[in-house]
PDB file of all heavy atoms in Angstrom:
ATOM      1  N   ALA B  49     -15.855  11.468   7.824  1.00  0.00           N
ATOM      2  CA  ALA B  49     -17.252  11.783   8.094  1.00  0.00           C
ATOM      3  C   ALA B  49     -17.808  12.625   6.963  1.00  0.00           C
ATOM      4  O   ALA B  49     -17.313  13.715   6.686  1.00  0.00           O
ATOM      5  CB  ALA B  49     -17.377  12.532   9.423  1.00  0.00           C
ATOM      6  N   ASN B  50     -18.839  12.104   6.338  1.00  0.00           N
ATOM      7  CA  ASN B  50     -19.511  12.793   5.244  1.00  0.00           C
ATOM      8  C   ASN B  50     -20.901  13.174   5.716  1.00  0.00           C
ATOM      9  O   ASN B  50     -21.606  12.331   6.296  1.00  0.00           O
ATOM     10  CB  ASN B  50     -19.566  11.872   4.036  1.00  0.00           C
ATOM     11  CG  ASN B  50     -19.888  12.621   2.766  1.00  0.00           C
ATOM     12  OD1 ASN B  50     -20.053  13.826   2.771  1.00  0.00           O
ATOM     13  ND2 ASN B  50     -19.968  11.913   1.656  1.00  0.00           N
ATOM     14  N   GLN B  51     -21.312  14.381   5.492  1.00  0.00           N
ATOM     15  CA  GLN B  51     -22.610  14.836   5.981  1.00  0.00           C
ATOM     16  C   GLN B  51     -23.735  14.026   5.357  1.00  0.00           C
ATOM     17  O   GLN B  51     -23.763  13.827   4.149  1.00  0.00           O
ATOM     18  CB  GLN B  51     -22.785  16.322   5.671  1.00  0.00           C
ATOM     19  CG  GLN B  51     -23.941  16.972   6.429  1.00  0.00           C
ATOM     20  CD  GLN B  51     -25.235  16.992   5.632  1.00  0.00           C
ATOM     21  OE1 GLN B  51     -25.210  16.954   4.422  1.00  0.00           O
ATOM     22  NE2 GLN B  51     -26.357  17.033   6.315  1.00  0.00           N
ATOM     23  N   GLY B  52     -24.619  13.548   6.192  1.00  0.00           N
ATOM     24  CA  GLY B  52     -25.777  12.823   5.707  1.00  0.00           C
ATOM     25  C   GLY B  52     -25.589  11.338   5.524  1.00  0.00           C
ATOM     26  O   GLY B  52     -26.512  10.645   5.082  1.00  0.00           O
ATOM     27  N   SER B  53     -24.423  10.828   5.866  1.00  0.00           N
ATOM     28  CA  SER B  53     -24.192   9.392   5.754  1.00  0.00           C
ATOM     29  C   SER B  53     -23.331   8.918   6.911  1.00  0.00           C
ATOM     30  O   SER B  53     -22.736   9.729   7.626  1.00  0.00           O
ATOM     31  CB  SER B  53     -23.527   9.041   4.421  1.00  0.00           C
ATOM     32  OG  SER B  53     -22.260   9.637   4.330  1.00  0.00           O
ATOM     33  N   GLU B  54     -23.268   7.619   7.072  1.00  0.00           N
ATOM     34  CA  GLU B  54     -22.442   7.067   8.149  1.00  0.00           C
ATOM     35  C   GLU B  54     -20.963   7.271   7.843  1.00  0.00           C
ATOM     36  O   GLU B  54     -20.544   7.264   6.687  1.00  0.00           O
ATOM     37  CB  GLU B  54     -22.727   5.579   8.308  1.00  0.00           C
ATOM     38  CG  GLU B  54     -24.051   5.292   8.996  1.00  0.00           C
ATOM     39  CD  GLU B  54     -24.150   3.849   9.469  1.00  0.00           C
ATOM     40  OE1 GLU B  54     -23.154   3.104   9.366  1.00  0.00           O
ATOM     41  OE2 GLU B  54     -25.232   3.475   9.951  1.00  0.00           O
ATOM     42  N   ALA B  55     -20.205   7.422   8.900  1.00  0.00           N
ATOM     43  CA  ALA B  55     -18.766   7.598   8.744  1.00  0.00           C
ATOM     44  C   ALA B  55     -18.126   6.327   8.195  1.00  0.00           C
ATOM     45  O   ALA B  55     -18.622   5.219   8.412  1.00  0.00           O
ATOM     46  CB  ALA B  55     -18.131   7.971  10.075  1.00  0.00           C
ATOM     47  N   THR B  56     -17.024   6.514   7.489  1.00  0.00           N
ATOM     48  CA  THR B  56     -16.248   5.390   6.957  1.00  0.00           C
ATOM     49  C   THR B  56     -15.021   5.201   7.830  1.00  0.00           C
ATOM     50  O   THR B  56     -14.193   6.115   7.934  1.00  0.00           O
ATOM     51  CB  THR B  56     -15.809   5.665   5.509  1.00  0.00           C
ATOM     52  OG1 THR B  56     -16.967   5.890   4.706  1.00  0.00           O
ATOM     53  CG2 THR B  56     -15.022   4.487   4.962  1.00  0.00           C
ATOM     54  N   TYR B  57     -14.897   4.028   8.431  1.00  0.00           N
ATOM     55  CA  TYR B  57     -13.828   3.766   9.389  1.00  0.00           C
ATOM     56  C   TYR B  57     -12.662   3.027   8.741  1.00  0.00           C
ATOM     57  O   TYR B  57     -12.856   2.148   7.883  1.00  0.00           O
ATOM     58  CB  TYR B  57     -14.368   2.953  10.577  1.00  0.00           C
ATOM     59  CG  TYR B  57     -15.268   3.766  11.467  1.00  0.00           C
ATOM     60  CD1 TYR B  57     -16.619   3.951  11.152  1.00  0.00           C
ATOM     61  CD2 TYR B  57     -14.771   4.382  12.615  1.00  0.00           C
ATOM     62  CE1 TYR B  57     -17.435   4.729  11.949  1.00  0.00           C
ATOM     63  CE2 TYR B  57     -15.581   5.160  13.424  1.00  0.00           C
ATOM     64  CZ  TYR B  57     -16.911   5.331  13.078  1.00  0.00           C
ATOM     65  OH  TYR B  57     -17.721   6.105  13.870  1.00  0.00           O
ATOM     66  N   GLU B  58     -11.472   3.374   9.188  1.00  0.00           N
ATOM     67  CA  GLU B  58     -10.259   2.710   8.726  1.00  0.00           C
ATOM     68  C   GLU B  58     -10.084   1.394   9.478  1.00  0.00           C
ATOM     69  O   GLU B  58     -10.697   1.162  10.530  1.00  0.00           O
ATOM     70  CB  GLU B  58      -9.048   3.596   8.952  1.00  0.00           C
ATOM     71  CG  GLU B  58      -9.082   4.887   8.153  1.00  0.00           C
ATOM     72  CD  GLU B  58      -9.054   4.665   6.659  1.00  0.00           C
ATOM     73  OE1 GLU B  58      -8.100   4.015   6.166  1.00  0.00           O
ATOM     74  OE2 GLU B  58      -9.969   5.151   5.974  1.00  0.00           O
ATOM     75  N   SER B  59      -9.246   0.566   8.903  1.00  0.00           N
ATOM     76  CA  SER B  59      -8.974  -0.728   9.515  1.00  0.00           C
ATOM     77  C   SER B  59      -8.450  -0.536  10.936  1.00  0.00           C
ATOM     78  O   SER B  59      -7.555   0.277  11.178  1.00  0.00           O
ATOM     79  CB  SER B  59      -7.944  -1.479   8.672  1.00  0.00           C
ATOM     80  OG  SER B  59      -7.585  -2.690   9.282  1.00  0.00           O
ATOM     81  N   GLY B  60      -9.031  -1.274  11.856  1.00  0.00           N
ATOM     82  CA  GLY B  60      -8.601  -1.182  13.244  1.00  0.00           C
ATOM     83  C   GLY B  60      -9.446  -0.260  14.097  1.00  0.00           C
ATOM     84  O   GLY B  60      -9.250  -0.198  15.315  1.00  0.00           O
ATOM     85  N   PHE B  61     -10.374   0.447  13.493  1.00  0.00           N
ATOM     86  CA  PHE B  61     -11.257   1.364  14.219  1.00  0.00           C
ATOM     87  C   PHE B  61     -12.704   0.964  13.947  1.00  0.00           C
ATOM     88  O   PHE B  61     -13.065   0.670  12.813  1.00  0.00           O
ATOM     89  CB  PHE B  61     -11.025   2.809  13.792  1.00  0.00           C
ATOM     90  CG  PHE B  61      -9.637   3.302  14.089  1.00  0.00           C
ATOM     91  CD1 PHE B  61      -8.644   3.261  13.123  1.00  0.00           C
ATOM     92  CD2 PHE B  61      -9.316   3.801  15.350  1.00  0.00           C
ATOM     93  CE1 PHE B  61      -7.367   3.702  13.392  1.00  0.00           C
ATOM     94  CE2 PHE B  61      -8.034   4.248  15.625  1.00  0.00           C
ATOM     95  CZ  PHE B  61      -7.057   4.195  14.656  1.00  0.00           C
ATOM     96  N   VAL B  62     -13.519   0.974  15.008  1.00  0.00           N
ATOM     97  CA  VAL B  62     -14.909   0.562  14.868  1.00  0.00           C
ATOM     98  C   VAL B  62     -15.849   1.611  15.433  1.00  0.00           C
ATOM     99  O   VAL B  62     -15.482   2.377  16.339  1.00  0.00           O
ATOM    100  CB  VAL B  62     -15.166  -0.803  15.563  1.00  0.00           C
ATOM    101  CG1 VAL B  62     -14.367  -1.901  14.858  1.00  0.00           C
ATOM    102  CG2 VAL B  62     -14.824  -0.736  17.041  1.00  0.00           C
ATOM    103  N   ILE B  63     -17.064   1.591  14.919  1.00  0.00           N
ATOM    104  CA  ILE B  63     -18.048   2.616  15.280  1.00  0.00           C
ATOM    105  C   ILE B  63     -18.435   2.541  16.748  1.00  0.00           C
ATOM    106  O   ILE B  63     -18.701   3.568  17.371  1.00  0.00           O
ATOM    107  CB  ILE B  63     -19.281   2.501  14.356  1.00  0.00           C
ATOM    108  CG1 ILE B  63     -20.249   3.658  14.584  1.00  0.00           C
ATOM    109  CG2 ILE B  63     -19.978   1.170  14.568  1.00  0.00           C
ATOM    110  CD1 ILE B  63     -21.376   3.733  13.571  1.00  0.00           C
ATOM    111  N   ASP B  64     -18.469   1.350  17.319  1.00  0.00           N
ATOM    112  CA  ASP B  64     -18.864   1.233  18.722  1.00  0.00           C
ATOM    113  C   ASP B  64     -17.874   1.942  19.650  1.00  0.00           C
ATOM    114  O   ASP B  64     -18.249   2.449  20.696  1.00  0.00           O
ATOM    115  CB  ASP B  64     -18.972  -0.239  19.126  1.00  0.00           C
ATOM    116  CG  ASP B  64     -20.169  -0.915  18.482  1.00  0.00           C
ATOM    117  OD1 ASP B  64     -21.026  -0.187  17.945  1.00  0.00           O
ATOM    118  OD2 ASP B  64     -20.236  -2.155  18.506  1.00  0.00           O
ATOM    119  N   LYS B  65     -16.619   1.954  19.267  1.00  0.00           N
ATOM    120  CA  LYS B  65     -15.582   2.571  20.071  1.00  0.00           C
ATOM    121  C   LYS B  65     -15.444   4.067  19.764  1.00  0.00           C
ATOM    122  O   LYS B  65     -15.200   4.865  20.668  1.00  0.00           O
ATOM    123  CB  LYS B  65     -14.249   1.874  19.796  1.00  0.00           C
ATOM    124  CG  LYS B  65     -13.048   2.462  20.514  1.00  0.00           C
ATOM    125  CD  LYS B  65     -13.117   2.277  22.011  1.00  0.00           C
ATOM    126  CE  LYS B  65     -11.853   2.795  22.683  1.00  0.00           C
ATOM    127  NZ  LYS B  65     -11.928   2.685  24.158  1.00  0.00           N
ATOM    128  N   PHE B  66     -15.618   4.425  18.506  1.00  0.00           N
ATOM    129  CA  PHE B  66     -15.429   5.812  18.072  1.00  0.00           C
ATOM    130  C   PHE B  66     -16.645   6.298  17.264  1.00  0.00           C
ATOM    131  O   PHE B  66     -16.523   6.596  16.070  1.00  0.00           O
ATOM    132  CB  PHE B  66     -14.164   5.937  17.216  1.00  0.00           C
ATOM    133  CG  PHE B  66     -12.897   5.598  17.934  1.00  0.00           C
ATOM    134  CD1 PHE B  66     -12.285   4.357  17.753  1.00  0.00           C
ATOM    135  CD2 PHE B  66     -12.302   6.507  18.790  1.00  0.00           C
ATOM    136  CE1 PHE B  66     -11.100   4.042  18.407  1.00  0.00           C
ATOM    137  CE2 PHE B  66     -11.122   6.200  19.453  1.00  0.00           C
ATOM    138  CZ  PHE B  66     -10.525   4.971  19.269  1.00  0.00           C
ATOM    139  N   PRO B  67     -17.803   6.405  17.879  1.00  0.00           N
ATOM    140  CA  PRO B  67     -18.953   6.909  17.126  1.00  0.00           C
ATOM    141  C   PRO B  67     -18.742   8.355  16.697  1.00  0.00           C
ATOM    142  O   PRO B  67     -18.185   9.166  17.433  1.00  0.00           O
ATOM    143  CB  PRO B  67     -20.120   6.771  18.115  1.00  0.00           C
ATOM    144  CG  PRO B  67     -19.489   6.656  19.458  1.00  0.00           C
ATOM    145  CD  PRO B  67     -18.143   6.034  19.260  1.00  0.00           C
ATOM    146  N   ILE B  68     -19.190   8.645  15.493  1.00  0.00           N
ATOM    147  CA  ILE B  68     -19.010   9.969  14.894  1.00  0.00           C
ATOM    148  C   ILE B  68     -20.357  10.498  14.446  1.00  0.00           C
ATOM    149  O   ILE B  68     -21.173   9.765  13.899  1.00  0.00           O
ATOM    150  CB  ILE B  68     -18.050   9.877  13.682  1.00  0.00           C
ATOM    151  CG1 ILE B  68     -16.609   9.634  14.147  1.00  0.00           C
ATOM    152  CG2 ILE B  68     -18.114  11.137  12.826  1.00  0.00           C
ATOM    153  CD1 ILE B  68     -15.651   9.319  13.020  1.00  0.00           C
ATOM    154  N   SER B  69     -20.576  11.778  14.668  1.00  0.00           N
ATOM    155  CA  SER B  69     -21.754  12.440  14.125  1.00  0.00           C
ATOM    156  C   SER B  69     -21.324  13.517  13.155  1.00  0.00           C
ATOM    157  O   SER B  69     -20.240  14.113  13.283  1.00  0.00           O
ATOM    158  CB  SER B  69     -22.606  13.046  15.249  1.00  0.00           C
ATOM    159  OG  SER B  69     -22.025  14.248  15.712  1.00  0.00           O
ATOM    160  N   ARG B  70     -22.175  13.766  12.187  1.00  0.00           N
ATOM    161  CA  ARG B  70     -21.898  14.823  11.191  1.00  0.00           C
ATOM    162  C   ARG B  70     -23.252  15.433  10.810  1.00  0.00           C
ATOM    163  O   ARG B  70     -23.786  15.187   9.748  1.00  0.00           O
ATOM    164  CB  ARG B  70     -21.217  14.214   9.969  1.00  0.00           C
ATOM    165  CG  ARG B  70     -20.828  15.229   8.930  1.00  0.00           C
ATOM    166  CD  ARG B  70     -19.584  16.002   9.283  1.00  0.00           C
ATOM    167  NE  ARG B  70     -19.520  17.254   8.568  1.00  0.00           N
ATOM    168  CZ  ARG B  70     -19.046  17.395   7.331  1.00  0.00           C
ATOM    169  NH1 ARG B  70     -18.584  16.350   6.663  1.00  0.00           N
ATOM    170  NH2 ARG B  70     -19.004  18.575   6.762  1.00  0.00           N
ATOM    171  N   PRO B  71     -23.798  16.260  11.701  1.00  0.00           N
ATOM    172  CA  PRO B  71     -25.158  16.763  11.489  1.00  0.00           C
ATOM    173  C   PRO B  71     -25.280  17.810  10.387  1.00  0.00           C
ATOM    174  O   PRO B  71     -26.361  17.996   9.846  1.00  0.00           O
ATOM    175  CB  PRO B  71     -25.516  17.361  12.847  1.00  0.00           C
ATOM    176  CG  PRO B  71     -24.194  17.732  13.446  1.00  0.00           C
ATOM    177  CD  PRO B  71     -23.242  16.695  12.979  1.00  0.00           C
ATOM    178  N   ASN B  72     -24.197  18.516  10.073  1.00  0.00           N
ATOM    179  CA  ASN B  72     -24.254  19.519   9.016  1.00  0.00           C
ATOM    180  C   ASN B  72     -22.862  19.687   8.393  1.00  0.00           C
ATOM    181  O   ASN B  72     -21.932  18.967   8.745  1.00  0.00           O
ATOM    182  CB  ASN B  72     -24.789  20.846   9.573  1.00  0.00           C
ATOM    183  CG  ASN B  72     -23.951  21.370  10.713  1.00  0.00           C
ATOM    184  OD1 ASN B  72     -22.740  21.521  10.599  1.00  0.00           O
ATOM    185  ND2 ASN B  72     -24.599  21.658  11.843  1.00  0.00           N
ATOM    186  N   LEU B  73     -22.751  20.636   7.488  1.00  0.00           N
ATOM    187  CA  LEU B  73     -21.520  20.763   6.708  1.00  0.00           C
ATOM    188  C   LEU B  73     -20.406  21.507   7.430  1.00  0.00           C
ATOM    189  O   LEU B  73     -19.321  21.687   6.865  1.00  0.00           O
ATOM    190  CB  LEU B  73     -21.834  21.462   5.375  1.00  0.00           C
ATOM    191  CG  LEU B  73     -22.669  20.647   4.386  1.00  0.00           C
ATOM    192  CD1 LEU B  73     -23.062  21.498   3.188  1.00  0.00           C
ATOM    193  CD2 LEU B  73     -21.913  19.402   3.932  1.00  0.00           C
ATOM    194  N   THR B  74     -20.636  21.969   8.649  1.00  0.00           N
ATOM    195  CA  THR B  74     -19.595  22.704   9.368  1.00  0.00           C
ATOM    196  C   THR B  74     -19.250  22.091  10.723  1.00  0.00           C
ATOM    197  O   THR B  74     -18.431  22.649  11.468  1.00  0.00           O
ATOM    198  CB  THR B  74     -20.033  24.165   9.607  1.00  0.00           C
ATOM    199  OG1 THR B  74     -21.199  24.182  10.445  1.00  0.00           O
ATOM    200  CG2 THR B  74     -20.328  24.871   8.298  1.00  0.00           C
ATOM    201  N   PHE B  75     -19.825  20.962  11.060  1.00  0.00           N
ATOM    202  CA  PHE B  75     -19.672  20.447  12.422  1.00  0.00           C
ATOM    203  C   PHE B  75     -19.600  18.935  12.434  1.00  0.00           C
ATOM    204  O   PHE B  75     -20.278  18.257  11.652  1.00  0.00           O
ATOM    205  CB  PHE B  75     -20.849  20.930  13.274  1.00  0.00           C
ATOM    206  CG  PHE B  75     -20.727  20.614  14.736  1.00  0.00           C
ATOM    207  CD1 PHE B  75     -19.925  21.376  15.567  1.00  0.00           C
ATOM    208  CD2 PHE B  75     -21.441  19.545  15.286  1.00  0.00           C
ATOM    209  CE1 PHE B  75     -19.825  21.095  16.917  1.00  0.00           C
ATOM    210  CE2 PHE B  75     -21.347  19.257  16.639  1.00  0.00           C
ATOM    211  CZ  PHE B  75     -20.542  20.036  17.452  1.00  0.00           C
ATOM    212  N   SER B  76     -18.777  18.416  13.356  1.00  0.00           N
ATOM    213  CA  SER B  76     -18.701  16.974  13.562  1.00  0.00           C
ATOM    214  C   SER B  76     -18.281  16.704  14.999  1.00  0.00           C
ATOM    215  O   SER B  76     -17.653  17.554  15.647  1.00  0.00           O
ATOM    216  CB  SER B  76     -17.685  16.341  12.608  1.00  0.00           C
ATOM    217  OG  SER B  76     -17.553  14.944  12.834  1.00  0.00           O
ATOM    218  N   THR B  77     -18.650  15.548  15.501  1.00  0.00           N
ATOM    219  CA  THR B  77     -18.168  15.119  16.809  1.00  0.00           C
ATOM    220  C   THR B  77     -17.593  13.719  16.705  1.00  0.00           C
ATOM    221  O   THR B  77     -18.045  12.901  15.895  1.00  0.00           O
ATOM    222  CB  THR B  77     -19.276  15.113  17.883  1.00  0.00           C
ATOM    223  OG1 THR B  77     -20.238  14.112  17.559  1.00  0.00           O
ATOM    224  CG2 THR B  77     -19.935  16.467  17.995  1.00  0.00           C
ATOM    225  N   LEU B  78     -16.601  13.470  17.532  1.00  0.00           N
ATOM    226  CA  LEU B  78     -16.012  12.150  17.704  1.00  0.00           C
ATOM    227  C   LEU B  78     -16.133  11.799  19.177  1.00  0.00           C
ATOM    228  O   LEU B  78     -15.733  12.592  20.034  1.00  0.00           O
ATOM    229  CB  LEU B  78     -14.547  12.145  17.296  1.00  0.00           C
ATOM    230  CG  LEU B  78     -13.748  10.889  17.664  1.00  0.00           C
ATOM    231  CD1 LEU B  78     -14.106   9.743  16.731  1.00  0.00           C
ATOM    232  CD2 LEU B  78     -12.238  11.165  17.613  1.00  0.00           C
ATOM    233  N   THR B  79     -16.684  10.641  19.468  1.00  0.00           N
ATOM    234  CA  THR B  79     -16.760  10.171  20.849  1.00  0.00           C
ATOM    235  C   THR B  79     -15.775   9.030  21.044  1.00  0.00           C
ATOM    236  O   THR B  79     -15.723   8.110  20.220  1.00  0.00           O
ATOM    237  CB  THR B  79     -18.185   9.702  21.198  1.00  0.00           C
ATOM    238  OG1 THR B  79     -19.084  10.821  21.064  1.00  0.00           O
ATOM    239  CG2 THR B  79     -18.257   9.185  22.624  1.00  0.00           C
ATOM    240  N   VAL B  80     -15.005   9.111  22.093  1.00  0.00           N
ATOM    241  CA  VAL B  80     -14.123   8.001  22.480  1.00  0.00           C
ATOM    242  C   VAL B  80     -14.828   7.287  23.631  1.00  0.00           C
ATOM    243  O   VAL B  80     -15.012   7.881  24.708  1.00  0.00           O
ATOM    244  CB  VAL B  80     -12.738   8.495  22.909  1.00  0.00           C
ATOM    245  CG1 VAL B  80     -11.805   7.309  23.163  1.00  0.00           C
ATOM    246  CG2 VAL B  80     -12.141   9.413  21.850  1.00  0.00           C
ATOM    247  N   SER B  81     -15.273   6.066  23.387  1.00  0.00           N
ATOM    248  CA  SER B  81     -16.143   5.359  24.323  1.00  0.00           C
ATOM    249  C   SER B  81     -15.375   4.382  25.202  1.00  0.00           C
ATOM    250  O   SER B  81     -14.344   3.828  24.790  1.00  0.00           O
ATOM    251  CB  SER B  81     -17.224   4.591  23.546  1.00  0.00           C
ATOM    252  OG  SER B  81     -17.958   5.449  22.710  1.00  0.00           O
ATOM    253  N   ASN B  82     -15.911   4.185  26.406  1.00  0.00           N
ATOM    254  CA  ASN B  82     -15.359   3.175  27.315  1.00  0.00           C
ATOM    255  C   ASN B  82     -13.825   3.241  27.326  1.00  0.00           C
ATOM    256  O   ASN B  82     -13.134   2.274  27.004  1.00  0.00           O
ATOM    257  CB  ASN B  82     -15.833   1.786  26.897  1.00  0.00           C
ATOM    258  CG  ASN B  82     -15.451   0.727  27.906  1.00  0.00           C
ATOM    259  OD1 ASN B  82     -15.244   1.007  29.090  1.00  0.00           O
ATOM    260  ND2 ASN B  82     -15.342  -0.508  27.458  1.00  0.00           N
ATOM    261  N   MET B  83     -13.334   4.387  27.709  1.00  0.00           N
ATOM    262  CA  MET B  83     -11.906   4.677  27.558  1.00  0.00           C
ATOM    263  C   MET B  83     -11.015   3.840  28.463  1.00  0.00           C
ATOM    264  O   MET B  83     -11.379   3.481  29.594  1.00  0.00           O
ATOM    265  CB  MET B  83     -11.668   6.153  27.821  1.00  0.00           C
ATOM    266  CG  MET B  83     -12.210   7.044  26.708  1.00  0.00           C
ATOM    267  SD  MET B  83     -11.841   8.777  26.974  1.00  0.00           S
ATOM    268  CE  MET B  83     -13.009   9.177  28.267  1.00  0.00           C
ATOM    269  N   SER B  84      -9.846   3.568  27.951  1.00  0.00           N
ATOM    270  CA  SER B  84      -8.778   2.908  28.701  1.00  0.00           C
ATOM    271  C   SER B  84      -7.512   3.757  28.551  1.00  0.00           C
ATOM    272  O   SER B  84      -7.449   4.624  27.669  1.00  0.00           O
ATOM    273  CB  SER B  84      -8.536   1.491  28.175  1.00  0.00           C
ATOM    274  OG  SER B  84      -8.021   1.561  26.867  1.00  0.00           O
TER     275      SER B  84
END
Side-chain angles (χ1 to χ4, degrees):
Chain B
N50 196 1
Q51 194 266 335
S53 63
E54 285 195 6
T56 302
Y57 289 83
E58 296 297 303
S59 176
F61 298 95
V62 295
I63 187 171
D64 289 347
K65 177 67 176 177
F66 297 101
I68 288 171
S69 77
R70 183 77 202 276
N72 58 53
L73 291 173
T74 63
F75 187 79
S76 177
T77 66
L78 169 75
T79 298
V80 186
S81 304
N82 188 24
M83 289 183 285
S84 67

